[in-house]
Amino acid sequence: VTAGPPDARPVTPVGIATALLASVAARLDAADVDPDVLADLARAHSLVGGLDDYVARCTSPASPALVALEERTRTEPWGDGPLEQEMLSGHVEGAFLRMLVAVTGARRVLEVGMFTGYSALAMAEAMPDDAHLVACEIDRRAVAIAQEAFDASPGGATVDVRVGPAAETLSRLAGDGEWFDLVFLDADKAGYAGYLDLLLDLDLLAADGVVVVDNTLLQGEPWAPAAGSPSVNGAAIADFNARVAADDRLEQVLVPLRDGVTLIRRVG
Ligand SMILES: C[S@@+](CC[C@H](N)C(=O)[O-])C[C@H]1O[C@@H](n2cnc3c(N)ncnc32)[C@H](O)[C@@H]1O
Protein backbone atom coordinates (compact mmCIF):
# COMPACT_ATOMS: atom_id res chain seq x y z
CA VAL A 1 0.00 0.00 0.00
CA THR A 2 2.86 2.38 -0.60
CA ALA A 3 3.00 4.85 -3.47
CA GLY A 4 5.51 4.17 -6.21
CA PRO A 5 6.28 1.40 -8.69
CA PRO A 6 4.89 -1.96 -7.55
CA ASP A 7 8.16 -3.80 -8.16
CA ALA A 8 10.38 -1.31 -6.30
CA ARG A 9 11.88 -2.36 -2.96
CA PRO A 10 11.08 -0.11 0.02
CA VAL A 11 13.72 2.61 0.45
CA THR A 12 12.08 4.97 2.92
CA PRO A 13 11.37 4.66 6.66
CA VAL A 14 7.63 4.53 5.95
CA GLY A 15 8.03 1.90 3.22
CA ILE A 16 10.31 -0.23 5.39
CA ALA A 17 8.02 0.05 8.45
CA THR A 18 5.04 -0.95 6.29
CA ALA A 19 6.84 -4.04 5.00
CA LEU A 20 7.88 -4.99 8.56
CA LEU A 21 4.33 -4.63 9.92
CA ALA A 22 2.97 -6.75 7.05
CA SER A 23 5.64 -9.36 7.71
CA VAL A 24 4.84 -9.49 11.46
CA ALA A 25 1.10 -9.79 10.73
CA ALA A 26 1.73 -12.62 8.25
CA ARG A 27 3.81 -14.55 10.79
CA LEU A 28 1.31 -14.28 13.63
CA ASP A 29 -1.13 -17.08 14.12
CA ALA A 30 -4.34 -15.08 14.58
CA ALA A 31 -5.92 -17.85 16.65
CA ASP A 32 -3.24 -17.44 19.34
CA VAL A 33 -3.21 -13.64 19.54
CA ASP A 34 -5.42 -11.32 21.56
CA PRO A 35 -7.91 -9.77 19.06
CA ASP A 36 -7.13 -6.29 20.50
CA VAL A 37 -3.44 -6.78 19.63
CA LEU A 38 -4.38 -7.84 16.09
CA ALA A 39 -6.67 -4.82 15.77
CA ASP A 40 -3.87 -2.47 16.91
CA LEU A 41 -1.45 -4.10 14.48
CA ALA A 42 -3.94 -3.75 11.61
CA ARG A 43 -4.46 -0.07 12.50
CA ALA A 44 -0.71 0.60 12.70
CA HIS A 45 -0.27 -1.08 9.29
CA SER A 46 -3.10 0.95 7.83
CA LEU A 47 -1.79 4.25 9.24
CA VAL A 48 1.77 3.74 8.08
CA GLY A 49 1.01 1.80 4.90
CA GLY A 50 -1.61 4.20 3.60
CA LEU A 51 0.38 7.36 4.22
CA ASP A 52 2.35 7.58 0.97
CA ASP A 53 -0.68 6.90 -1.22
CA TYR A 54 -2.76 9.48 0.64
CA VAL A 55 0.00 12.10 0.37
CA ALA A 56 0.29 11.34 -3.36
CA ARG A 57 -3.48 11.68 -3.86
CA CYS A 58 -3.43 15.08 -2.13
CA THR A 59 -0.53 16.36 -4.28
CA SER A 60 -0.89 17.90 -7.76
CA PRO A 61 -0.28 15.26 -10.42
CA ALA A 62 3.02 15.01 -12.27
CA SER A 63 3.17 16.24 -15.87
CA PRO A 64 2.89 13.66 -18.68
CA ALA A 65 6.63 14.16 -19.36
CA LEU A 66 7.48 13.23 -15.75
CA VAL A 67 5.11 10.26 -15.76
CA ALA A 68 6.77 9.00 -18.97
CA LEU A 69 10.27 9.51 -17.52
CA GLU A 70 9.38 7.59 -14.35
CA GLU A 71 8.07 4.70 -16.47
CA ARG A 72 11.15 4.82 -18.73
CA THR A 73 13.40 4.63 -15.65
CA ARG A 74 11.35 1.80 -14.11
CA THR A 75 11.57 -0.38 -17.21
CA GLU A 76 15.29 0.18 -17.87
CA PRO A 77 17.19 -3.08 -17.18
CA TRP A 78 19.66 -1.60 -14.66
CA GLY A 79 21.27 -4.97 -13.82
CA ASP A 80 23.86 -5.16 -11.05
CA GLY A 81 25.49 -1.77 -11.63
CA PRO A 82 25.48 1.13 -9.20
CA LEU A 83 22.19 2.56 -10.50
CA GLU A 84 18.65 1.33 -9.75
CA GLN A 85 15.11 2.54 -10.36
CA GLU A 86 14.67 3.29 -6.63
CA MET A 87 17.04 6.26 -7.01
CA LEU A 88 14.34 8.28 -8.74
CA SER A 89 12.76 10.83 -6.40
CA GLY A 90 9.26 10.61 -7.88
CA HIS A 91 5.89 12.30 -7.84
CA VAL A 92 5.60 13.90 -4.38
CA GLU A 93 9.25 14.90 -3.98
CA GLY A 94 9.26 16.23 -7.53
CA ALA A 95 6.17 18.31 -6.72
CA PHE A 96 7.86 19.55 -3.52
CA LEU A 97 10.96 20.67 -5.44
CA ARG A 98 8.85 22.32 -8.13
CA MET A 99 6.89 24.16 -5.42
CA LEU A 100 10.13 25.33 -3.76
CA VAL A 101 11.45 26.69 -7.05
CA ALA A 102 8.13 28.43 -7.74
CA VAL A 103 7.70 30.07 -4.32
CA THR A 104 11.34 31.16 -3.98
CA GLY A 105 11.40 32.44 -7.58
CA ALA A 106 14.73 30.67 -8.04
CA ARG A 107 16.12 31.38 -11.51
CA ARG A 108 19.53 29.77 -11.04
CA VAL A 109 19.28 26.18 -9.82
CA LEU A 110 21.97 23.54 -9.36
CA GLU A 111 21.36 19.81 -8.99
CA VAL A 112 24.12 17.51 -7.75
CA GLY A 113 23.14 13.95 -8.74
CA MET A 114 20.71 14.02 -11.67
CA PHE A 115 20.23 10.28 -12.43
CA THR A 116 17.64 10.04 -15.24
CA GLY A 117 16.55 13.64 -14.76
CA TYR A 118 13.25 13.35 -12.86
CA SER A 119 13.93 15.99 -10.19
CA ALA A 120 15.75 18.25 -12.67
CA LEU A 121 12.78 18.20 -15.03
CA ALA A 122 10.31 18.72 -12.16
CA MET A 123 12.20 21.87 -11.12
CA ALA A 124 12.73 23.04 -14.70
CA GLU A 125 8.97 22.91 -15.28
CA ALA A 126 8.57 25.73 -12.71
CA MET A 127 11.26 27.93 -14.25
CA PRO A 128 10.92 30.56 -16.99
CA ASP A 129 12.65 29.94 -20.34
CA ASP A 130 15.53 32.30 -19.56
CA ALA A 131 16.30 30.64 -16.21
CA HIS A 132 19.29 28.34 -15.74
CA LEU A 133 19.39 24.85 -14.25
CA VAL A 134 22.75 23.07 -14.12
CA ALA A 135 22.52 19.32 -13.41
CA CYS A 136 25.64 17.29 -12.47
CA GLU A 137 25.83 13.55 -13.16
CA ILE A 138 28.71 11.12 -13.38
CA ASP A 139 26.99 8.22 -15.17
CA ARG A 140 26.69 8.47 -18.97
CA ARG A 141 23.88 5.92 -19.21
CA ALA A 142 21.73 7.99 -16.83
CA VAL A 143 22.68 11.14 -18.73
CA ALA A 144 21.54 9.63 -22.06
CA ILE A 145 18.09 8.79 -20.65
CA ALA A 146 17.78 12.22 -19.03
CA GLN A 147 18.84 14.10 -22.15
CA GLU A 148 16.29 12.17 -24.23
CA ALA A 149 13.56 13.24 -21.77
CA PHE A 150 14.76 16.88 -21.71
CA ASP A 151 14.80 17.04 -25.51
CA ALA A 152 11.21 15.73 -25.65
CA SER A 153 9.84 18.20 -23.09
CA PRO A 154 9.51 22.00 -23.32
CA GLY A 155 10.71 22.34 -19.68
CA GLY A 156 13.85 20.38 -20.48
CA ALA A 157 15.40 23.13 -22.60
CA THR A 158 16.45 24.95 -19.40
CA VAL A 159 18.61 22.05 -18.19
CA ASP A 160 22.37 22.26 -18.77
CA VAL A 161 23.89 18.83 -18.02
CA ARG A 162 27.49 18.64 -16.79
CA VAL A 163 28.95 15.13 -16.94
CA GLY A 164 31.70 14.15 -14.49
CA PRO A 165 32.51 14.00 -10.77
CA ALA A 166 30.39 16.67 -9.08
CA ALA A 167 33.20 18.09 -6.92
CA GLU A 168 35.16 18.93 -10.08
CA THR A 169 32.08 20.42 -11.73
CA LEU A 170 31.38 22.59 -8.66
CA SER A 171 34.94 23.94 -8.64
CA ARG A 172 34.68 24.70 -12.36
CA LEU A 173 31.33 26.46 -11.91
CA ALA A 174 32.81 28.59 -9.11
CA GLY A 175 35.80 29.42 -11.31
CA ASP A 176 33.37 30.62 -13.98
CA GLY A 177 31.71 32.93 -11.43
CA GLU A 178 28.44 30.98 -11.31
CA TRP A 179 26.16 31.09 -8.27
CA PHE A 180 22.78 29.54 -7.46
CA ASP A 181 19.56 30.44 -5.65
CA LEU A 182 18.64 26.83 -4.96
CA VAL A 183 20.84 23.73 -4.85
CA PHE A 184 19.51 20.16 -4.70
CA LEU A 185 22.05 17.68 -3.29
CA ASP A 186 21.22 14.09 -4.26
CA ALA A 187 24.50 12.40 -5.33
CA ASP A 188 26.83 10.10 -3.35
CA LYS A 189 25.94 10.44 0.33
CA ALA A 190 29.58 10.31 1.48
CA GLY A 191 30.19 13.39 -0.65
CA TYR A 192 27.47 15.58 0.89
CA ALA A 193 29.66 17.28 3.50
CA GLY A 194 32.28 18.14 0.88
CA TYR A 195 29.63 19.47 -1.53
CA LEU A 196 28.15 21.68 1.19
CA ASP A 197 31.63 23.03 2.02
CA LEU A 198 32.24 23.85 -1.65
CA LEU A 199 28.86 25.57 -1.96
CA LEU A 200 29.55 27.77 1.07
CA ASP A 201 33.30 28.32 0.73
CA LEU A 202 33.25 29.04 -3.02
CA ASP A 203 30.13 31.22 -2.76
CA LEU A 204 28.23 28.99 -5.17
CA LEU A 205 25.21 29.50 -2.90
CA ALA A 206 23.61 32.95 -3.10
CA ALA A 207 23.52 34.81 0.24
CA ASP A 208 19.77 34.15 0.54
CA GLY A 209 19.90 30.80 -1.26
CA VAL A 210 18.66 27.43 -0.05
CA VAL A 211 20.28 24.00 -0.16
CA VAL A 212 17.86 21.08 -0.38
CA VAL A 213 19.39 17.76 0.65
CA ASP A 214 17.84 14.39 -0.14
CA ASN A 215 17.90 11.14 1.85
CA THR A 216 18.67 12.76 5.18
CA LEU A 217 16.59 10.09 6.95
CA LEU A 218 18.52 7.35 5.07
CA GLN A 219 15.96 4.59 5.60
CA GLY A 220 15.89 5.28 9.36
CA GLU A 221 19.50 4.20 9.89
CA PRO A 222 20.57 7.27 11.92
CA TRP A 223 18.09 6.51 14.76
CA ALA A 224 16.87 2.94 14.15
CA PRO A 225 19.73 0.91 12.68
CA ALA A 226 18.82 -2.55 11.40
CA ALA A 227 21.15 -5.52 11.83
CA GLY A 228 24.31 -4.90 9.83
CA SER A 229 23.82 -1.16 9.73
CA PRO A 230 24.73 1.60 9.74
CA SER A 231 25.84 1.20 6.17
CA VAL A 232 28.49 3.48 4.71
CA ASN A 233 25.69 5.75 3.50
CA GLY A 234 23.88 5.59 6.87
CA ALA A 235 27.04 6.64 8.72
CA ALA A 236 27.72 9.41 6.19
CA ILE A 237 24.21 10.83 6.58
CA ALA A 238 24.31 10.63 10.40
CA ASP A 239 27.63 12.55 10.35
CA PHE A 240 26.31 15.05 7.80
CA ASN A 241 23.13 15.75 9.80
CA ALA A 242 25.11 16.19 13.05
CA ARG A 243 27.55 18.50 11.34
CA VAL A 244 24.82 20.70 9.84
CA ALA A 245 23.04 20.86 13.21
CA ALA A 246 26.26 22.01 14.91
CA ASP A 247 27.09 24.71 12.32
CA ASP A 248 25.86 28.03 13.67
CA ARG A 249 26.23 29.66 10.24
CA LEU A 250 23.25 27.56 9.14
CA GLU A 251 19.56 27.12 9.86
CA GLN A 252 17.94 23.86 8.81
CA VAL A 253 14.74 21.84 8.93
CA LEU A 254 14.46 18.14 8.15
CA VAL A 255 11.16 17.42 6.41
CA PRO A 256 10.11 13.75 6.74
CA LEU A 257 9.13 13.52 3.10
CA ARG A 258 9.97 10.20 1.43
CA ASP A 259 13.55 9.39 2.66
CA GLY A 260 13.95 12.81 4.29
CA VAL A 261 14.63 16.20 2.74
CA THR A 262 16.59 18.84 4.67
CA LEU A 263 16.34 22.53 3.78
CA ILE A 264 19.39 24.59 4.75
CA ARG A 265 20.02 28.31 4.56
CA ARG A 266 22.68 30.68 5.80
CA VAL A 267 21.89 32.86 8.81
CA GLY A 268 23.56 36.06 9.98
C1 LIG B 1 19.81 9.21 -6.03
S1 LIG B 1 20.40 9.45 -7.66
C2 LIG B 1 19.72 11.01 -8.10
C3 LIG B 1 18.23 10.97 -8.32
C4 LIG B 1 17.68 12.17 -9.02
N1 LIG B 1 18.00 13.40 -8.33
C5 LIG B 1 16.18 12.02 -9.15
O1 LIG B 1 15.45 12.66 -8.43
O2 LIG B 1 15.73 11.20 -9.95
C6 LIG B 1 22.09 9.81 -7.40
C7 LIG B 1 22.86 10.08 -8.67
O3 LIG B 1 24.11 10.68 -8.32
C8 LIG B 1 25.07 10.22 -9.24
N2 LIG B 1 26.40 10.41 -8.64
C9 LIG B 1 26.99 9.64 -7.70
N3 LIG B 1 28.20 10.10 -7.41
C10 LIG B 1 28.40 11.20 -8.18
C11 LIG B 1 29.47 12.12 -8.31
N4 LIG B 1 30.59 12.01 -7.61
N5 LIG B 1 29.32 13.13 -9.19
C12 LIG B 1 28.19 13.27 -9.92
N6 LIG B 1 27.13 12.41 -9.83
C13 LIG B 1 27.23 11.40 -8.96
C14 LIG B 1 24.71 8.78 -9.49
O4 LIG B 1 25.27 8.31 -10.71
C15 LIG B 1 23.18 8.84 -9.49
O5 LIG B 1 22.69 8.94 -10.80
Side-chain angles (χ1 to χ4, degrees):
V1 284
T2 52
D7 54 345
R9 73 187 163 83
V11 289
T12 66
V14 164
I16 293 166
T18 301
L20 287 171
L21 287 169
S23 164
V24 168
R27 280 178 286 154
L28 286 177
D29 184 347
D32 291 345
V33 182
D34 180 339
D36 287 348
V37 171
L38 289 177
D40 285 354
L41 182 59
R43 171 122 174 92
H45 183 244
S46 168
L47 278 171
V48 177
L51 181 64
D52 284 349
D53 278 342
Y54 185 72
V55 169
R57 286 205 306 278
C58 296
T59 297
S60 301
S63 68
L66 287 172
V67 171
L69 179 54
E70 183 161 17
E71 179 62 9
R72 168 78 180 83
T73 305
R74 193 183 70 76
T75 52
E76 174 74 10
W78 292 108
D80 295 331
L83 304 185
E84 54 182 7
Q85 60 157 319
E86 288 84 357
M87 288 181 152
L88 186 139
S89 48
H91 166 209
V92 175
E93 190 168 350
F96 182 73
L97 291 167
R98 187 170 52 228
M99 180 70 81
L100 277 180
V101 168
V103 299
T104 59
R107 297 175 73 88
R108 301 176 63 87
V109 170
L110 173 66
E111 175 172 78
V112 181
M114 176 186 71
F115 188 38
T116 57
Y118 190 97
S119 45
L121 189 55
M123 292 189 284
E125 286 179 348
M127 297 170 73
D129 291 346
D130 62 346
H132 191 45
L133 193 161
V134 174
C136 309
E137 175 54 51
I138 201 167
D139 188 278
R140 289 186 181 278
R141 182 174 172 197
V143 168
I145 294 173
Q147 197 59 62
E148 205 179 287
F150 299 153
D151 292 345
S153 157
T158 314
V159 186
D160 170 4
V161 180
R162 306 288 175 98
V163 187
E168 290 176 17
T169 305
L170 294 190
S171 298
R172 211 167 300 125
L173 288 166
D176 292 343
E178 300 253 17
W179 51 270
F180 298 91
D181 302 308
L182 185 149
V183 180
F184 181 42
L185 286 187
D186 193 16
D188 50 315
K189 309 312 159 197
Y192 276 12
Y195 298 140
L196 185 62
D197 284 345
L198 288 173
L199 294 173
L200 298 172
D201 297 346
L202 302 182
D203 283 329
L204 281 161
L205 182 69
D208 56 355
V210 61
V211 184
V212 184
V213 191
D214 201 16
N215 303 109
T216 46
L217 292 180
L218 216 286
Q219 304 182 8
E221 286 193 29
W223 77 97
S229 63
S231 62
V232 172
N233 283 347
I237 288 294
D239 285 352
F240 175 79
N241 288 342
R243 187 171 157 172
V244 169
D247 189 333
D248 55 15
R249 296 171 303 169
L250 306 174
E251 181 182 72
Q252 67 284 338
V253 55
L254 199 169
V255 183
L257 161 64
R258 198 170 174 265
D259 196 28
V261 180
T262 296
L263 308 184
I264 303 172
R265 71 181 188 104
R266 281 194 177 101
V267 285

